[in-house]
């Protein structure tokens, strides 16, 4: 797996997924594993575009679930080909949404894979439909936990705050055999 800083990677073709991916929880893992299978079928590299720190840590001081080094280890084990880590800071934010879209265009994604709640850009104004104005977007069904709730980094942070450590750990465990398909 190759790790790149923002604005340095160009590819003739790719399959891309974008997000904070804090924790690389079971929902993220299932999205990435399915995206990887599709990338293999297209014979193109899988690119994960992520932010460090996660935007919710930067803006809302949310608990950080995985430092970048741990996130990268998990992504490598999931078979990701390239990771772009954008330093999420004032300089990145000042570049704006158009620059972000232009950067994604340099990856020539055949498809971008996201869950339905994906947001991007200033004040989280952009959504899946905005992304669809520029790219072919595959919307992935959210993965639920056994109790029926959608697995999310926010839910895991709440479990940790409520001292439900084992439940949180369960959702963060790396599983290399479940595709969810
Ligand atoms: C260019 C750009 C600008 C952004 N500006 C904001 C912002 O003003 N406020 C915010 O909460 N998040 C901002 N974000 C973060 C996104 O809303 C979102 O958290 C990020 O794309 C990751 O998606 P995810 O939260 O679904 O993982 C920005 C992201 C990008 C790429
Ligand atoms: N349970 C899930 N099943 C499938 N895809 C998911 C799941 N949770 C998140 N995703 C997708 O993974 C990508 C990255 O999401 P993100 O990092 O915002 O995760 P999150 O768990 O929703 O985080 P937070 O709770 O902090 O908003 C997005 O496309 C999102 O829709």
């Amino acid at each position: 797996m190759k790790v790149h800083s923002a604005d340095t990677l160009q590819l003739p073709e790719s399959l891309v997924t974008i997000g904070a991916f804090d924790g690389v929880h079971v929902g993220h893992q299932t999205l990435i594993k399915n995206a990887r299978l599709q990338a293999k079928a297209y014979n193109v590299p899988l690119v994960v575009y992520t932010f460090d720190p996660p935007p919710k840590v930067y803006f809302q001081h949310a608990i950080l679930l995985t430092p970048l080094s741990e996130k990268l280890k998990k992504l490598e084990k999931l078979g990701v080909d390239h990771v772009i880590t954008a330093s999420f800071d004032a300089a990145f934010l000042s570049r704006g949404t158009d620059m972000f879209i232009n950067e994604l265009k340099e990856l020539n994604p055949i498809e971008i894979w996201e869950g339905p709640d994906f947001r991007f850009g200033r004040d989280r104004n952009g959504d899946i439909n905005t992304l669809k104005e520029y790219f072919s977007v595959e919307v992935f069904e959210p993965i639920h936990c056994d109790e029926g709730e959608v697995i999310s980094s926010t839910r895991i942070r709440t479990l940790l705050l409520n001292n439900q450590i084992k439940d949180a750990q369960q959702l963060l465990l790396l599983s290399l055999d479940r595709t969810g398909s």
Side-chain angles (χ1 to χ4, degrees), residues 17-22 25 27-28 31 56 113-118 124 140-144 150-155 157:
T17 180
I18 310 157
F21 296 110
D22 191 18
H25 58 60
H28 295 146
L31 168 71
K56 280 192 182 160
W113 279 44
E114 300 297 337
D117 61 344
F118 174 72
R124 299 176 62 83
F140 190 76
E141 274 300 301
I143 302 299
H144 297 249
V150 172
I151 301 169
S152 70
S153 305
T154 302
R155 182 172 153 73
R157 291 184 191 111

Side-chain angles (χ1 to χ4, degrees), residues 3 5 14 18 27 36 53 58 76 81 93-94 104 111 114-115 117 127 135 138 149 166:
V3 181
S5 47
S14 66
I18 310 157
R36 191 189 57 167
Y58 180 84
E76 179 151 39
D81 297 298
L93 288 168
S94 71
L104 294 177
E111 285 170 4
E114 300 297 337
D117 61 344
D127 61 9
F135 304 103
E138 177 75 24
E149 285 195 51
K166 280 210 172 118

Side-chain angles (χ1 to χ4, degrees), residues 23-30 33 66 70 74 77-78 151 156 165-178:
V24 195
H25 58 60
V26 170
H28 295 146
Q29 292 173 31
T30 312
K33 282 188 263 187
T66 41
E70 201 182 320
K74 288 178 108 171
K77 286 186 184 153
L78 289 165
I151 301 169
I156 295 168
I165 311 293
K166 280 210 172 118
D167 293 336
Q169 282 171 341
Q170 199 70 24
L171 299 179
L172 290 167
L173 267 184
L174 188 67
S175 138
L176 294 174
D177 53 3
R178 178 175 160 184

Side-chain angles (χ1 to χ4, degrees), residues 19-20 51 55 59 88 92-93 96-97 100 118-124:
F51 307 93
F59 280 112
F88 199 80
F92 177 81
L93 288 168
T97 308
F100 179 65
F118 174 72
R119 317 288 305 190
F120 71 102
R122 183 157 302 159
D123 299 327
R124 299 176 62 83

